[in-house]
Amino acid sequence: MLNIYLVLSVETSMKADAFVVMVRFLRSHGQLKQVMIKQVQELPKLAEEWVLTLEERYALFTECAKHLMDDGDSTFAFRLYFEAAMLVDVVKGTAKSDKHVTTATGLITSAIKSPAIMNFQEVLQLTIVQELKTKSVAMFNLLQLYTQGEMSSFKKGFEAEKKNFEAQGITADEALLKRQYMQICELKEGQQLSYDELAKMIGVAVDDIEEWIVEASIHGIMTAKIDQFGRQLTIKSTMLCEVKKEQLLAIKDKVSAWKDRFQRIHSILVHQPELEKTD
């Protein structure tokens, strides 16, 4: 299987097909992490030179993202889903598709599950996510819960959408912890909070707040100076994992290059029969 993949030219979509077959095979046997997880995580870069239509590239990213999610790697699954979503954004006038609903659902689910994604504004702006307003209102509502209101309103909204969360395999603890972490990431450097204030902000019992702070620090959500005697903390830094404007532009440029390259090759192939007749 590997030998076939290695000998295939980057000029054929079979290269991508072989890659997906290997990912699917390894995932089904529980060996994806042990054998080729790095290659899957770096797929956008690895596949830069592969000659694929936009539809083929979209399918490649979403298929591998699904396998990463099944393997418990929500962070890199999100990145592949995001790359696929950007393909739709770059090509204006792309027809709406039921496949977009599946991709948008995977994108949102992986964002909620991933401990490294804390800002959902870029996700909300994507075309395939906006399409959910009419194609999957329930899924769009899940995302909006994380972008609107305080913790108290989130809890009310969560109860109303609880079944939708569960349908995507998101537990109540995962959903709540994600919103708590996002709330922390909105704090400013140097900001001081008492244990009581922090507990009220994120909806945690005061007796549990010190343990919560330690766990959040271990997960890299924040760094803080803790005053146990005074029962307060000072924020040093917080993690705000978002796709910066420069990164968005870089992705768009890369996708545009893929599109231009495919169009040039397609133009050559279209005129090939005429050249043969002339000869």
Side-chain angles (χ1 to χ4, degrees), residues 111-127:
I112 293 173
K113 283 180 168 288
S114 170
I117 310 301
M118 291 295 152
N119 188 306
F120 289 0
Q121 290 301 326
E122 292 88 358
V123 177
L124 191 60
Q125 295 169 11
L126 292 167
T127 299

Side-chain angles (χ1 to χ4, degrees), residues 150-254:
E150 301 297 326
M151 183 59 68
S152 57
S153 61
F154 174 83
K155 285 185 174 181
K156 291 179 182 177
F158 172 77
E159 287 302 320
E161 300 292 341
K162 190 173 182 178
K163 289 184 178 180
N164 292 328
F165 276 98
E166 292 174 347
Q168 301 307 321
I170 302 169
T171 67
D173 288 342
E174 284 179 322
L176 180 60
L177 186 61
K178 183 70 172 192
R179 187 63 185 90
Q180 290 172 341
Y181 283 170
M182 290 176 71
Q183 190 86 27
I184 290 297
C185 288
E186 294 173 7
L187 299 178
K188 297 179 180 179
E189 181 182 347
Q191 188 169 345
Q192 292 185 333
L193 292 166
S194 68
Y195 283 6
D196 288 344
E197 289 172 329
L198 181 59
K200 183 178 180 180
M201 177 189 297
I202 63 176
V204 173
V206 178
D207 291 342
D208 298 328
I209 197 63
E210 203 164 83
E211 182 181 350
W212 190 95
I213 293 171
V214 171
E215 289 182 356
S217 299
I218 291 173
H219 285 98
I221 304 303
M222 68 174 182
T223 58
K225 180 181 178 181
I226 302 174
D227 180 358
Q228 290 180 309
F229 182 76
R231 294 181 61 78
Q232 67 177 14
L233 76 159
T234 303
I235 300 296
K236 290 183 179 179
S237 65
T238 61
M239 177 180 70
L240 185 57
C241 285
E242 57 180 301
V243 181
K244 303 292 184 183
K245 182 178 181 181
E246 295 79 11
Q247 292 173 302
L248 283 171
L249 292 175
I251 294 173
K252 287 186 177 181
D253 287 343
K254 182 167 63 177

Side-chain angles (χ1 to χ4, degrees), residues 44-45 48 57 61 79 82-83 86-87 89-90 242-260:
K45 183 178 180 180
E48 279 182 358
R57 197 171 295 275
F61 289 159
R79 294 179 184 180
F82 190 87
E83 291 267 358
M86 287 300 299
L87 289 171
D89 267 23
V90 168
E242 57 180 301
V243 181
K244 303 292 184 183
K245 182 178 181 181
E246 295 79 11
Q247 292 173 302
L248 283 171
L249 292 175
I251 294 173
K252 287 186 177 181
D253 287 343
K254 182 167 63 177
V255 174
S256 294
W258 290 335
K259 182 183 178 183
D260 291 341

Side-chain angles (χ1 to χ4, degrees), residues 1-12:
M1 191 182 300
L2 178 60
N3 288 336
I4 294 175
Y5 166 76
L6 292 175
V7 300
L8 287 171
S9 168
V10 297
E11 301 294 327
T12 171

